[in-house]
Amino acid sequence: MLDVRETSRPRRADLDTVSRACGTLLASLPRADQRRKGELYVRGLLTSPGRKTMRNLATSTDDPAAAQSLHHFISCSTWDWTVVRASLARHLDRLLSPRAWVVRSMLVPKTGRHSVGVERRYVPALGETVNSQQSYGLWLASETAAAPVNWQLSIGKGWLQDNRTRTRATVPEDEDGTTGDGAAVQAVLKAAAWGIEPRPVVMDARYSALPPLVEAFTAAGLPFLLRVSGGCTLLAAGAGQGENRVSAASAEHLLGLARAQRRPVEWIDPASPGARRTSLVAPLQVYWPSTPDARPSGPYAGSATGSTRTAALGLPLTLLGKWQTYERGVRQVWLTNMTGAGYGPLLRLSRLTRRVEADFSYISLDVGMQDFEGRSYPGWHRHVTLASVAHALRMLGTRRR
């Protein structure tokens, strides 16, 4: 397979493939002119150079009024983006055989305050406050490819309380505000209702509030693998002075006690096809306090002990530490409810975040995922939906070549 960095814009021979794919993925659009404009929009995302403004997208057509027509199709039309996303998810689930659902945050800095959901928010990864729009994408990911299939926009309740701003952005009445971790959860749960096979939810949650994620995914019966900070507090048996003692301690401290159990695991770097790497890994059983002991079903679930002690401790989890061979301190900390999975498969699942980062950088950005210039809620959702279709077509074309 070619590296995603070798992707190129569709050749003329590929345009028939784009037409056939759009015919399938956009079949839910009720009118023929909507389906035609949807295909034109996707073609523009795939072929127009530079920033994907309406003017640039219109250059892929011979219609001088195409820019205004496409703007109306995205921002003012009535077609349902959710049905298109569900169709895309089912299509890619068959073709990719994904190993995980990877949740990724997308932050788009903005200069003004009028675009939907834009507000000043502190970004821990940057260590500063940024005027920005934030959303969460759900990606179907395998070792060789990844593509987004669902999006949830983060909108604060304060932003929604300004009736004039809300009306200008055409925010629907049933949108009552979903921020941060809630948006990540909704991106997953909505996709889970589309009939695609559930996969482990993999997410970098170091800067997230863990309780909403753990409790929501547990209640939904979904396996999860979350990257957490070393300071995350968990319960562990034998972490104190005696083997029978149960105490709360930071994840980093607990993994320090498990250093002697480290074992080397080889993995292929999804971001550099063919590159083999080795990491030291150690698992440790821990417990999530104050959460009902509800385990996911399926091949990743651990065996139930039925002990009163386990039930009293809370939800049994596996804490996974990853070290580089030349470092003393733990490099990454992961938390999972897949207690029956080996640490080798868990490590390889965690590496799929690198596949998503690579494909976002080399495909999503190139097809204009962050380029929507409008201000409306429906317009944003329709744009990222068709950009996801364009991403999938670019990715699938690269795999074929």
Side-chain angles (χ1 to χ4, degrees), residues 7-158:
T7 58
S8 59
R9 293 184 175 83
R11 298 164 295 183
R12 285 294 174 185
D14 296 328
L15 295 182
D16 287 342
T17 301
V18 172
S19 293
R20 288 195 298 270
C22 286
T24 299
L25 298 175
L26 305 181
S28 63
L29 274 62
R31 301 201 310 267
D33 66 304
Q34 291 176 330
R35 296 190 290 274
R36 180 179 62 82
K37 290 175 184 176
E39 180 180 336
L40 287 177
Y41 198 88
V42 171
R43 286 197 185 199
L45 294 172
L46 289 168
T47 59
S48 61
R51 189 172 178 82
K52 304 305 186 285
T53 63
M54 291 296 176
R55 186 185 300 273
N56 281 346
L57 295 179
T59 59
S60 63
T61 74
D62 296 326
D63 182 0
Q68 183 63 29
S69 176
L70 291 177
H71 170 76
H72 184 276
F73 168 72
I74 291 296
S75 296
C76 307
S77 189
T78 57
W79 58 274
D80 187 349
W81 59 81
T82 304
V83 181
V84 176
R85 292 179 190 177
S87 177
L88 176 64
R90 288 190 285 266
H91 184 69
L92 292 179
D93 194 53
R94 292 192 300 269
L95 294 181
L96 289 185
S97 298
R99 293 193 59 218
W101 294 351
V102 177
V103 180
R104 184 191 185 279
S105 171
M106 182 171 74
L107 192 79
V108 182
K110 296 283 188 177
T111 55
R113 300 292 298 274
H114 299 293
S115 295
V116 61
V118 170
E119 55 190 339
R120 293 186 62 78
R121 49 173 54 88
Y122 179 72
V123 183
L126 301 177
E128 60 180 313
T129 300
V130 180
N131 193 63
S132 58
Q133 184 184 67
Q134 186 180 36
S135 59
Y136 286 82
L138 177 67
W139 294 63
L140 304 188
S142 69
E143 288 83 354
T144 57
V149 296
N150 196 28
W151 293 92
Q152 185 72 30
L153 192 60
S154 178
I155 308 180
K157 293 184 183 297

Side-chain angles (χ1 to χ4, degrees), residues 176-394:
D176 57 0
T178 307
T179 60
D181 314 308
V185 168
Q186 287 303 310
V188 174
L189 297 186
K190 288 180 180 180
W194 293 341
I196 57 178
E197 182 178 349
R199 312 283 181 174
V201 180
V202 180
M203 177 181 175
D204 186 344
R206 284 175 294 169
Y207 308 114
S208 300
L210 282 179
L213 301 176
V214 172
E215 292 167 13
F217 297 149
T218 299
L222 292 172
F224 62 78
L225 179 62
L226 307 176
R227 186 176 179 183
V228 300
S229 69
C232 171
T233 300
L234 299 162
L235 296 179
Q241 296 179 350
E243 287 297 320
N244 293 324
R245 180 176 176 180
V246 176
S247 60
S250 70
E252 188 172 14
H253 173 75
L254 293 173
L255 288 171
L257 301 177
R259 279 178 55 85
Q261 303 176 30
R262 295 183 304 172
R263 298 292 183 270
V265 173
E266 187 179 77
W267 50 282
I268 298 176
D269 191 346
S272 303
R276 293 183 177 272
R277 317 215 185 271
T278 300
S279 299
L280 296 175
V281 178
L284 181 70
Q285 184 174 17
V286 296
Y287 299 90
W288 183 262
S290 304
T291 301
D293 187 7
R295 298 178 181 83
S297 59
Y300 298 102
S303 60
T305 64
S307 70
T308 303
R309 184 183 184 201
T310 298
L313 285 172
L315 179 69
L317 302 173
T318 295
L319 186 64
L320 189 75
K322 171 184 172 292
W323 291 260
Q324 294 299 101
T325 55
Y326 53 83
E327 292 179 340
R328 179 173 179 81
V330 63
R331 169 64 69 89
Q332 292 185 10
V333 181
W334 293 82
L335 189 66
T336 180
N337 60 352
M338 294 179 282
T339 55
Y343 51 78
L346 288 175
L347 176 67
R348 297 183 185 101
L349 272 180
S350 73
R351 301 295 81 201
L352 294 180
T353 57
R354 290 176 59 82
R355 171 81 272 164
V356 169
E357 288 300 325
D359 283 15
F360 177 81
S361 297
Y362 296 112
I363 302 180
S364 283
L365 292 181
D366 192 53
V367 299
M369 191 68 73
Q370 295 185 332
D371 290 353
F372 180 61
E373 291 185 320
R375 298 176 176 179
S376 75
Y377 179 97
W380 181 88
H381 274 283
R382 293 193 181 102
H383 171 81
V384 296
T385 298
L386 295 182
S388 297
V389 171
H391 175 112
L393 296 182
R394 174 72 58 79

